[in-house]
Amino acid sequence: MDITGYLIPAIIILILVIVFFSLVPLGLWISALAAGVKISILNLIGMRLRRVPPASIILPFIKATKADLELDAESLEAHYLAGGNVDRVVISLIAAERAGIPLSFQRTCAIDLAGRNVLEAVQMSVLPKVIETPEVAAVAKDGIELIVKARVTVRTNIDRLIGGATEETIIARVGEGIVTTIGSSHSHKAVLENPDSISKTVLEKGLDAGTAFEILSIDIADIDVGENIGARLQTDQAEADKRVAQAKAEERRAMAIAKEQEMLAYTQEMRAKVVEAEAEVPKALAHALHEGKLGFMDYYSLQNLQADTKMRDKLGKKEDKGKHE
């Protein structure tokens, strides 16, 4: 009984100790006190109850305190509960303060909650980023194609970071400016002789308006001569014109053939009528003989005349054949 009487209180005390250390991150509290961060154990217990990892708040709070930033644990915890990255926000504020960039805690939190990497934005404000555009093909007025690659140096504009367009917009606008500049050039040689004209013209268009960046410079990294687009277009047009002319000629030929066939059919029709008329002649002669309107001597004279006509036709054909030979 004596052992049981001591064992039960010991178990209860052990359970209380385990619960205490599970709710109270004692090591983290000691680290905060050593760093000069004023935080109570009750605050740490409250974070546990609100399902906020104390380390995600206290460790960034220690960094902010050491960097002389005036922040409080409640604001950091509120940003965490809103879905923000507390550690990145604190590091961004420290980097901005060291670089002399005016950036408030509220604006940093807003940028972070907007889905932008605020730390990368601060770093790009200090160290500009170089964006390399893909190959952009454009055609000058003389029909020669030029293929250009450019490098765009940009710096983050913190004031336009929320709602500003991304790098893809910068690349698209620079490509549009390159096409416009080359397209307005009378000769591709002028562009090859002075590539800086592309950079100057593109920069004058204010391509960074409405974006989260500020364009510092545009440098032409490479420029190559492509195809003779003008000559190819003229060749294609000539080929198309030739096909149209051939189609029209074929149409006229088909119409001529149809007309010829029509005339042949008409000729055959006329011949058929002649044959039909000739077939009526013997009938008419027989009827005339029967009626007594034509005598036998007249009939024989007509036969002799026909024979003489046929003989003359044969002789005439032979003479024409001899002349041609």
Side-chain angles (χ1 to χ4, degrees), residues 157-265:
N157 191 324
I158 301 294
D159 296 333
R160 296 202 303 255
L161 195 59
I162 298 178
T166 58
E167 296 179 11
E168 288 76 10
T169 302
I170 294 290
I171 294 175
R173 289 182 179 179
V174 170
E176 179 185 356
I178 292 174
V179 172
T180 303
T181 304
I182 295 177
S184 60
S185 300
H186 292 280
S187 172
H188 72 286
K189 295 180 181 180
V191 180
L192 292 175
E193 293 173 358
N194 189 16
D196 292 342
S197 60
I198 300 177
S199 303
K200 293 178 181 178
T201 305
V202 173
L203 281 174
E204 290 174 356
K205 293 181 177 293
L207 302 181
D208 53 3
T211 66
F213 304 97
E214 177 186 354
I215 297 178
L216 301 179
S217 66
I218 298 176
D219 304 308
I220 304 302
D222 187 24
I223 182 168
D224 297 321
V225 179
E227 299 182 41
N228 191 334
I229 304 297
R232 190 179 70 183
L233 291 176
Q234 291 177 358
T235 302
D236 294 342
Q237 185 62 44
E239 183 67 21
D241 293 342
K242 186 182 78 171
R243 291 179 181 177
V244 171
Q246 288 176 344
K248 291 182 178 179
E250 185 65 24
E251 181 182 0
R252 290 194 296 269
R253 189 178 74 86
M255 292 178 63
I257 293 175
K259 186 67 175 177
E260 180 184 3
Q261 294 297 324
E262 182 180 352
M263 295 304 297
L264 289 175

Side-chain angles (χ1 to χ4, degrees), residues 261-277:
Q261 294 297 324
E262 182 180 352
M263 295 304 297
L264 289 175
Y266 182 73
T267 302
Q268 293 294 332
E269 182 182 357
M270 293 296 103
R271 286 178 180 176
K273 290 182 178 181
V274 170
V275 171
E276 182 180 1

Side-chain angles (χ1 to χ4, degrees), residues 14-314:
L14 181 60
I15 293 173
L16 291 175
V17 170
I18 293 173
V19 172
F20 176 79
F21 280 104
S22 64
L23 291 177
V24 181
L26 192 60
L28 189 63
W29 179 66
I30 295 173
S31 299
L33 291 179
V37 176
K38 296 180 180 180
I39 191 75
S40 65
I41 294 179
L42 293 177
N43 286 337
L44 297 178
I45 295 174
M47 291 180 189
R48 290 281 193 183
L49 295 176
R50 289 187 292 272
R51 296 184 180 181
V52 177
S56 63
I57 303 299
I58 300 304
L59 295 180
F61 195 14
I62 293 174
K63 294 178 184 178
T65 303
K66 289 299 182 181
D68 295 329
L69 296 180
E70 296 181 359
L71 299 178
D72 56 83
E74 288 77 11
S75 299
L76 297 177
E77 187 178 353
H79 184 63
Y80 178 86
L81 291 173
N85 191 320
V86 177
D87 189 61
R88 186 164 58 194
V89 167
V90 171
I91 295 175
S92 302
L93 287 171
I94 295 173
E97 195 271 336
R98 294 292 186 269
I101 300 173
L103 186 63
S104 64
F105 174 73
Q106 288 77 12
R107 188 165 188 80
T108 307
C109 291
I111 295 172
D112 184 61
L113 292 176
R116 294 295 184 90
N117 192 329
V118 62
L119 179 58
E120 181 181 351
V122 173
Q123 291 172 345
M124 284 182 61
S125 297
V126 178
L127 183 63
K129 181 180 180 180
V130 177
I131 303 173
E132 186 168 334
T133 65
E135 291 184 347
V136 179
V139 182
K141 289 184 177 181
D142 59 358
I144 304 299
E145 179 188 40
L146 295 178
I147 303 172
V148 180
K149 289 181 67 176
R151 291 190 177 95
V152 186
T153 305
V154 297
R155 179 173 58 196
T156 303
N157 191 324
I158 301 294
D159 296 333
R160 296 202 303 255
L161 195 59
I162 298 178
T166 58
E167 296 179 11
E168 288 76 10
T169 302
I170 294 290
I171 294 175
R173 289 182 179 179
V174 170
E176 179 185 356
I178 292 174
V179 172
T180 303
T181 304
I182 295 177
S184 60
S185 300
H186 292 280
S187 172
H188 72 286
K189 295 180 181 180
V191 180
L192 292 175
E193 293 173 358
N194 189 16
D196 292 342
S197 60
I198 300 177
S199 303
K200 293 178 181 178
T201 305
V202 173
L203 281 174
E204 290 174 356
K205 293 181 177 293
L207 302 181
D208 53 3
T211 66
F213 304 97
E214 177 186 354
I215 297 178
L216 301 179
S217 66
I218 298 176
D219 304 308
I220 304 302
D222 187 24
I223 182 168
D224 297 321
V225 179
E227 299 182 41
N228 191 334
I229 304 297
R232 190 179 70 183
L233 291 176
Q234 291 177 358
T235 302
D236 294 342
Q237 185 62 44
E239 183 67 21
D241 293 342
K242 186 182 78 171
R243 291 179 181 177
V244 171
Q246 288 176 344
K248 291 182 178 179
E250 185 65 24
E251 181 182 0
R252 290 194 296 269
R253 189 178 74 86
M255 292 178 63
I257 293 175
K259 186 67 175 177
E260 180 184 3
Q261 294 297 324
E262 182 180 352
M263 295 304 297
L264 289 175
Y266 182 73
T267 302
Q268 293 294 332
E269 182 182 357
M270 293 296 103
R271 286 178 180 176
K273 290 182 178 181
V274 170
V275 171
E276 182 180 1
E278 289 176 349
E280 295 294 330
V281 173
K283 294 181 181 180
L285 291 175
H287 183 70
L289 288 172
H290 181 72
E291 295 290 333
K293 296 179 179 180
L294 181 68
F296 286 101
M297 296 304 296
D298 296 330
Y299 176 73
Y300 285 127
S301 298
L302 180 61
Q303 291 292 325
N304 290 332
L305 181 61
Q306 289 180 347
D308 184 62
T309 302
K310 290 180 180 179
M311 181 183 66
R312 291 177 182 277
D313 288 339
K314 290 180 180 180

